[in-house]
Amino acid sequence: MNISLVAPFIILLAVSTASALPFMMTKSTVTVETESPGLDTSPDIIDLNSTVGQTFFKQLKSHYHYNHIHKFYRPQLKNHCGIATAVIGMNTLLNADVWTQKSIFTQDVTRFLNESTVYKQGMTLDNLFKVIAAVSDIPQMERMVFQPKKMMDVFQRDVKRFYSNSFMSGLMAINLNRKTLWGAGGGHFLLVASEINEHGYILLHEVSATRPSFFVKVESLVYSMSTPDSVSLLPRGWISLLNA
């Protein structure tokens, strides 16, 4: 498994087995994940179930990624949006219900993160990366956290790489800041589910049972991902899961 970790002023390259990876990562930070308010009427956020959202959905070049993600969608447990995102993403790439939000807490995972901690305070992007690396047979993953000014170009490149064709070459699990989009809340994980449409919106598949999937203006999403974690002061970013 080839892992690349890119962050402002930090570059870490590692080639190792999944079981060894958790001990090679950077120190985790704390990001509380509580339930956020529902989607508002901001023009930057469009509920998939709305008239405009349905129009955007019909106009997508492909529904392949959304349909495959939705096939393996299981609602997050309390504060488990990161764990749910990992489980749905891995199961989608494996095209099988291999992991659950309970079974993913293997002995290797609980060495650095246990379920009670996730229930109390959620998890960080570092935690998500380490969990997937500890349990996954997916051949390659890239974790990327970039300086804000570089994030847009790299994000658009990865979206095009993974979502421009009707086959599963990979998925993107993102960590956004809900406060910048909804005015309240902390960190939240979910999966990119489409290419960027002609209006500059991208579809995100929710992992919560209480909120719908939605389209969001790419500029607003990138800004949300570029806001710093309150402890690490690094931008949030995303993880790319690559298929074999």
Side-chain angles (χ1 to χ4, degrees), residues 44 152 156 199-201 216-224:
D44 290 346
M152 176 65 83
Q156 291 177 324
H199 306 286
Y201 286 79
V216 61
K217 197 77 172 177
V218 172
E219 289 85 354
S220 296
L221 174 61
V222 169
Y223 174 72
S224 181

Side-chain angles (χ1 to χ4, degrees), residues 39-158:
L39 300 184
D40 60 20
T41 57
S42 166
D44 290 346
I45 302 171
I46 298 175
D47 180 348
L48 176 59
N49 298 325
S50 69
T51 300
V52 176
Q54 284 297 294
T55 298
F56 278 4
F57 189 74
K58 292 176 182 177
Q59 292 174 344
L60 290 175
K61 296 177 182 178
S62 173
H63 299 145
Y64 180 86
H65 291 84
Y66 176 85
N67 289 339
H68 277 67
I69 292 169
H70 197 68
K71 176 182 177 182
F72 294 100
Y73 163 72
R74 306 293 182 270
Q76 72 173 73
L77 302 176
K78 179 183 178 182
N79 282 355
H80 271 207
C81 63
I83 292 296
T85 296
V87 167
I88 296 167
M90 290 190 296
N91 287 347
T92 299
L93 291 180
L94 296 169
N95 197 30
D97 279 310
V98 175
W99 297 102
T100 72
Q101 293 176 57
K102 294 288 187 179
S103 68
I104 199 170
F105 288 97
T106 63
Q107 183 176 6
D108 285 337
V109 169
T110 55
R111 288 174 181 168
F112 59 88
L113 183 70
N114 58 58
E115 188 173 8
S116 63
T117 299
V118 175
Y119 267 130
K120 292 177 182 177
Q121 63 186 35
M123 61 190 292
T124 67
L125 193 67
D126 281 339
N127 293 148
L128 180 63
F129 181 80
K130 291 165 68 177
V131 167
I132 294 173
V135 303
S136 178
D137 290 330
I138 296 171
Q140 186 177 16
M141 297 191 303
E142 297 174 321
R143 176 187 184 264
M144 293 174 289
V145 180
F146 284 87
Q147 296 176 6
K149 64 181 182 180
K150 297 180 180 179
M151 187 175 283
M152 176 65 83
D153 288 342
V154 179
F155 183 76
Q156 291 177 324
R157 182 203 70 188
D158 278 9

Side-chain angles (χ1 to χ4, degrees), residues 163-208:
Y163 296 90
S164 61
N165 298 299
S166 293
F167 58 86
M168 192 61 65
S169 61
L171 291 172
M172 295 167 65
I174 67 170
N175 180 214
L176 55 78
N177 181 352
R178 292 174 300 186
K179 187 174 183 179
T180 68
L181 296 176
W182 292 288
H188 187 49
F189 291 94
L190 61 174
L191 291 157
V192 173
S194 79
E195 76 272 26
I196 300 169
N197 71 12
E198 61 181 311
H199 306 286
Y201 286 79
I202 193 166
L203 178 60
L204 303 182
H205 197 298
E206 256 295 352
V207 297
S208 171

